């Protein structure tokens, strides 16, 4: 299985797309000043993005192509904090044993773990198209749970998904969230994803949260899981003392891929 999502070639082009997603329309002169490059450089970047169908040229600038904006947003999320996500995925793999049935949410951190699963003799349950593509390409047996397609996360959600997951019992569930704080737990702004993640978490024998440190001490709209619903938290840096105390009180095993000085 393959995906035809366009590939963005440079960090500068990612920045242009981020601005276009936020503002809908971007001006070459503004981007030139913001990025510290010549207007001709920005124009070439816009031309390349337009050739891929990601932007539409307009006089003096460009605007996001509406029909691809969700896919672009997903691609940009997938390229954010990639080193931390890959380190977290490697640590998560150490918790997986041959013979396990593992379930992965549709987060980009869980996707990084999906890329490593061929190193274990396991089977998987997934709700995300990208994870399914990776597992299929690597020969990892998996069950894809369907439902209503949620384009921003390229995942399946809704009543059908949740009903099916209540009948499945994976050994370990790996999930991520947009934010975490001791007060609100693990939270996410996308309500369809919240319901799917909650059902995934409640199906599991062991629940493992995969969270890079940029998401700590923040909160989003809805709670996915409270601290007492999570067994292990894997992150890339040491959390604050307040968070450490809350994790210890909740008896959550903390694994860090990098110690802060």
């Amino acid at each position: 299985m393959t995906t035809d999502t366009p590939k963005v070639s440079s960090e500068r082009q990612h920045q242009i797309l981020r601005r276009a997603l936020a503002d809908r329309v971007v001006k070459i002169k503004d981007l030139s000043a913001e990025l510290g490059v010549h207007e001709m450089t920005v124009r070439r970047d816009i031309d390349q993005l337009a050739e891929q169908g990601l932007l539409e040229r307009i006089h003096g600038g460009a605007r996001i192509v509406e029909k691809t904006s969700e896919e672009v947003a997903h691609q940009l999320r997938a390229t954010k904090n990639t080193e931390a996500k890959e380190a977290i995925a490697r640590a998560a793999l150490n918790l997986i044993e041959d013979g396990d049935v593992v379930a992965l949410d549709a987060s980009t951190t869980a996707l990084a773990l999906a890329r490593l699963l061929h190193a274990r003799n396991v089977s998987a349950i997934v709700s995300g198209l990208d994870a399914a593509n990776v597992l299929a390409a690597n020969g990892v047996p998996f069950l894809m749970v369907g439902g209503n397609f949620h384009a921003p996360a390229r995942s399946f959600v809704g009543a059908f998904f949740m009903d099916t997951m209540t009948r499945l019992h994976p050994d370990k569930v790996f999930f991520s969230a947009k934010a975490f704080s001791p007060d609100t737990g693990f939270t996410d702004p996308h309500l369809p994803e919240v319901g799917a993640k909650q059902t995934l978490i409640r199906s599991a024998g062991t629940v493992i949260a995969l969270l890079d440190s940029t998401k700590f001490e923040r909160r989003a709209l809805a709670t996915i899981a409270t601290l007492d619903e999570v067994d292990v938290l894997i992150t890339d840096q040491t959390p604050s003392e307040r968070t450490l105390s809350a994790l210890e009180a909740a008896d959550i095993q903390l694994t860090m891929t990098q110690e802060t000085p």
Side-chain angles (χ1 to χ4, degrees), residues 87-249:
I88 289 168
R90 290 192 294 271
L93 186 68
N94 291 332
L95 300 179
I96 298 174
E97 301 174 349
D98 286 348
D100 278 345
V101 177
V102 300
L104 309 179
D105 74 354
S107 66
T108 54
T109 311
L111 177 60
L113 175 57
R115 295 190 178 105
L116 304 178
L117 279 184
H118 63 278
R120 298 285 186 271
N121 181 21
V122 299
S123 58
I125 299 170
V126 298
S127 64
L129 287 178
D130 294 326
N133 284 336
V134 166
L135 296 178
N138 289 337
V140 178
F142 69 94
L143 170 67
M144 186 164 191
V145 182
N148 298 326
F149 183 60
H150 185 224
R154 294 170 57 81
S155 65
F156 292 96
V157 298
F160 184 86
F161 174 87
M162 291 188 286
D163 181 64
T164 303
M165 277 308 309
T166 59
R167 304 166 192 271
L168 302 175
H169 306 288
D171 298 300
K172 292 160 186 169
V173 162
F174 296 86
F175 81 99
S176 190
K178 291 295 186 295
F180 170 80
S181 79
D183 303 318
T184 57
F186 301 86
T187 55
D188 197 279
H190 301 294
L191 294 180
E193 289 295 321
V194 169
K197 289 173 188 276
Q198 287 173 337
T199 307
L200 201 66
I201 287 166
R202 290 165 188 166
S203 73
T206 302
V207 178
I208 300 115
L210 311 175
L211 220 65
D212 70 75
S213 55
T214 64
K215 297 174 179 178
F216 283 101
E217 302 299 334
R218 302 172 67 181
R219 67 179 186 179
L221 177 62
T223 296
I224 298 166
T226 56
L227 275 70
D228 61 350
E229 294 178 291
V230 173
D231 300 297
V232 181
L233 170 61
I234 304 176
T235 188
D236 57 312
Q237 293 186 23
T238 306
S240 68
E241 288 297 328
R242 187 174 87 98
T243 295
L244 286 173
S245 296
L247 296 174
E248 183 177 358

Side-chain angles (χ1 to χ4, degrees), residues 43-63:
R43 189 171 286 107
R44 282 195 297 269
D45 284 333
I46 287 176
D47 286 343
Q48 291 177 21
L49 294 169
E51 287 172 3
Q52 296 181 68
L54 301 175
L55 293 180
E56 179 183 353
R57 299 182 193 88
I58 60 173
H59 180 68
R63 61 187 172 200

